[in-house]
Amino acid sequence: MAKVEEHIRLSQEGYDKLKAELVQLRSEGRAQIAAKLEEARGFGDLSENAEYHAAKEEQEKIEGRILQLEAQLAKAVVIDEDNIDTSVVSLGTTVTFEEKKKSYTYQIVATEEADIKAEPPKISKDSPVGMALLGNAVKTTVAVRTPRGIRKLKITKIEK
């Protein structure tokens, strides 16, 4: 049986981002879907109304996401970024490592905050690379199994 986390540790930025998404979905998202449903009702018989059924599906997705965000925020604990320990890779640290003479820098975050397009990219502590790096110090080489095979990563820098 999967372990259920009591708390979700987030950065202040990650918490604020989830909260903003929740506020947006509760206000604009619900208002937009209500308008779509009203418009679709005007097309007649609901049993054969594709626009109505599509709008209902979209409404279900929005409501599902709202419930998910509410649950995540209820469990959220904001990390005190001033007290992050940089002697080892931990949640909230930015880690630089080398692989085959190429350097990579990632921030280790909760799954809810992961964003590979961010600068630096934010990877989940639960990802294969994140799990392999956690708890290790500078100059440590870790092996991690990825879809591309075993990777050897040498940690060169850890910072806030």
Side-chain angles (χ1 to χ4, degrees), residues 87-139:
S87 65
V88 295
V89 177
S90 61
L91 193 64
T93 58
T94 299
V95 59
T96 301
F97 59 85
E98 289 180 356
E99 178 188 28
K100 298 178 182 176
K101 299 187 182 191
K102 189 168 180 188
S103 184
Y104 301 90
T105 300
Y106 293 108
Q107 183 178 15
I108 308 298
V109 297
T111 302
E112 294 77 10
E113 290 186 76
D115 181 0
I116 202 70
K117 294 178 184 170
E119 191 52 49
K122 296 178 179 188
I123 62 168
S124 169
K125 66 180 179 55
D126 298 319
S127 69
V129 172
M131 288 190 296
L133 294 171
L134 280 177
N136 289 291
V138 171
K139 297 183 182 174

Side-chain angles (χ1 to χ4, degrees), residues 139-155:
K139 297 183 182 174
T140 304
T141 299
V142 298
V144 59
R145 183 180 309 275
T146 68
R148 294 188 329 206
I150 302 289
R151 296 174 61 190
K152 294 198 184 296
L153 316 175
K154 182 177 182 183
I155 301 170

Side-chain angles (χ1 to χ4, degrees), residues 50-117:
E51 290 83 2
Y52 180 78
H53 292 288
K56 285 300 279 184
E57 283 182 26
E58 189 176 343
Q59 181 184 37
E60 288 175 17
K61 287 180 185 176
I62 288 173
E63 293 302 325
R65 181 65 178 152
I66 287 171
L67 289 173
Q68 181 183 34
L69 289 168
E70 288 172 343
Q72 289 172 340
L73 290 168
K75 293 180 179 182
V77 174
V78 176
I79 298 169
D80 181 358
E81 295 180 21
D82 293 333
N83 292 326
I84 292 176
D85 177 11
T86 57
S87 65
V88 295
V89 177
S90 61
L91 193 64
T93 58
T94 299
V95 59
T96 301
F97 59 85
E98 289 180 356
E99 178 188 28
K100 298 178 182 176
K101 299 187 182 191
K102 189 168 180 188
S103 184
Y104 301 90
T105 300
Y106 293 108
Q107 183 178 15
I108 308 298
V109 297
T111 302
E112 294 77 10
E113 290 186 76
D115 181 0
I116 202 70
K117 294 178 184 170

